[in-house]
Amino acid sequence: MPGVSSFRSKLVRAARGALAGLLAGFTALAVAELVAGLVRPAAGPVTVVGGAVIDRTPAAVKDFAIRTFGEDDKTVLRLGILAVLALVAVGLGILSLSHRRAGAAGVLLFGIVGAAAALDRPDSTGGGDALPSIAGALAGALALHVLASRATPSTPLADSGGTTGAWSRRGFLTAAGVTVATATSAGLLGRFLSGRRGQGAVASRENLVLPGPSSPAPAVPAGARLEVPGISAFTTRNRDFYRVDTALTVPRIDAGAWRLRIHGKGVTRPRTYTLDQLLARPLIERDITLACVSNEVGGPYVGNARWLGVPLADLLREAGVRPPSRGGAADQLVARSVDGMTFGSPVEDVMDGRDAMLAVGMNGEPLPFDHGFPVRMLVPGLYGYVSACKWITDIELTTFDAYDPYWVKRTWARRTPIKTQSRIDTPKPFARPAAGTVTVAGVAWAQHRGITRVEIRVDDGPWQDADLAAQDTVDTWRQWSYRWNATPGGHTLTVRATDGTGRVQTEQRTRTVPDGASGRHSVFVTVPQTTGPALTAGPAAPPMPSTAPADDPSRSKRP
């Protein structure tokens, strides 16, 4: 049938164009990867375009991404960018069969977009950052031109209106094979070069020996760690500690090349420090719980670790900085990361005697790269987005009126003390514990104020005091447990905490934007009905071993 044959011919032609476009797109990304390995890995087009997308995404959408995808949000973003590029490549490939120059121009246009995104990044080092996108686009345009020329008829058939004709299947497949081999080699070489550039940073971390603290952390009280299955560990392991940031590529900084600059308003003695200079100073060691402002009520983005670092207030005083309460000119400390991220902390809070520090160690080892190696900042009692700058390289003293940091520009609040919160770790939502005594347990936190009371309510009943574990410090979370006499049926368990100022955790639910979520965490569980012995017409059957489910013994995977 002529109609079917014509449709099949068009479909085959479109498939050839789509494949040509995909291979050209693969070539562009592979060559860009190679050039980024020579120039700077963070200048790769997927990374810079992804960073531009993050910067321009509304706060509510970012919050949704973190809430929905958790720490996989960056992977989802990368896959989304690649999916969009693949769709565009398919379209340009099909277009190039009829309009070869237009297809190549489309590839070049994407290169220009990538180059512009690279130059606009806060951590841009100049024109060199545009080279990966430009080189990749040129290679992709060339590949598309060659593949499209092999995928179209060289001599149109006279009786076909010029729409079909003979084309060299072998020539197209040969060109495609060469393209795949060349692009793959370029991509692998780029990965190798990028890895080589990071080897110095890896070696500097492996060879770093942290000195002992001049002020060790107080011993954790024996009763601070509850042995309850399912409860969050008192100390969060480094590999389990939450990570929430905007870095698509984790910076890998050579400790020997790292520098920190302190300057700005009210700084009478600007300073620049190396890591060795910081390590030569008296160090403090403290257990401190960190919390992310994006943490929903009952969420996982909170963790407790033992940190080693330099007291930040000491460095500021040596630079001549005074807090506003003592006549200081600056009320905001702006910390900058190596990737250009900015965090704004109240100078008064940093210098009020709390253990604000530039941390170099985490749980007895140098900071992991994911958590800011070689140096990060943290201030107990403040959410991370205003205090916990990772990969810090610059501290500028200024005012809140003069400068809005990254997240404040995106509708988040300027000053955000961590809210009093509590979480039920066990039983899990929709668990089916057996009737009888069930241990309800979890953690509560109100950094820099401490937790003095935790209460549990079953359904609409009265609030009942939970048993508190011993308090380590006011800057750490506190474990708690409650022995509940569970009866058959569905039940809602709700928890609330009271902090050291006497403030009770509010029941008013708010979302994370603009200053952190509030409300009380609850879980719904079902206690099955107990089954009595079966009735029989004859002698009673011997008793069978109980198969009723016990309290869920699985440990929480939350940090």
Side-chain angles (χ1 to χ4, degrees), residues 26-235:
F26 174 53
T27 300
L29 291 177
V31 171
E33 182 92 15
L34 171 60
V35 178
L38 294 169
V39 176
R40 196 169 70 95
V46 174
T47 299
V48 296
V49 171
V53 170
I54 291 174
D55 289 350
R56 289 160 177 79
T57 300
V61 177
K62 287 191 180 79
D63 194 47
F64 168 81
I66 293 173
R67 187 170 64 252
T68 305
F69 303 112
E71 296 185 24
D72 295 325
D73 59 339
K74 299 172 188 64
T75 301
V76 172
L77 175 59
R78 283 183 176 275
L79 291 176
I81 292 172
L82 292 176
V84 170
L85 290 177
L87 290 174
V88 172
V90 167
L92 291 176
I94 295 173
L95 174 65
S96 68
L97 296 182
S98 302
H99 306 281
R100 207 167 298 163
R101 291 182 180 179
V107 176
L108 292 175
L109 179 61
F110 268 80
I112 293 173
V113 171
L119 295 175
D120 190 51
R121 298 299 301 146
D123 61 336
S124 175
T125 58
D129 283 1
L131 291 178
S133 295
I134 295 299
L138 290 173
L142 177 61
L144 183 59
H145 180 83
V146 172
L147 290 168
S149 67
R150 298 295 189 277
T152 51
S154 55
T155 54
L157 297 178
D159 61 351
S160 64
T163 58
T164 61
W167 67 285
S168 172
R169 184 189 304 270
R170 178 177 297 177
F172 177 74
L173 293 178
T174 300
V178 171
T179 300
V180 170
T182 303
T184 300
S185 299
L188 291 176
L189 180 57
R191 288 292 180 91
F192 172 76
L193 293 174
S194 296
R196 284 285 299 271
R197 291 175 68 91
Q199 285 181 356
V202 173
S204 70
R205 182 180 182 275
E206 291 176 347
N207 296 329
L208 181 63
V209 177
L210 296 176
S214 58
S215 175
V220 177
R225 296 184 173 95
L226 298 182
E227 297 298 327
V228 177
I231 197 171
S232 298
F234 178 78
T235 299

Side-chain angles (χ1 to χ4, degrees), residues 5 8 14 18 50-51 74 86 103 116 144 148 174 204 228 230 232 239 277 344-345 406 409 414 421 483 496 558:
S5 177
R8 184 178 300 167
K74 299 172 188 64
L144 183 59
T174 300
S204 70
V228 177
S232 298
R239 67 173 179 267
Q277 288 173 329
S345 307
Y406 182 91
K409 292 177 181 177
R414 290 178 173 179
Q421 286 287 304
R483 294 174 66 81
R496 72 180 184 187
R558 286 177 175 158

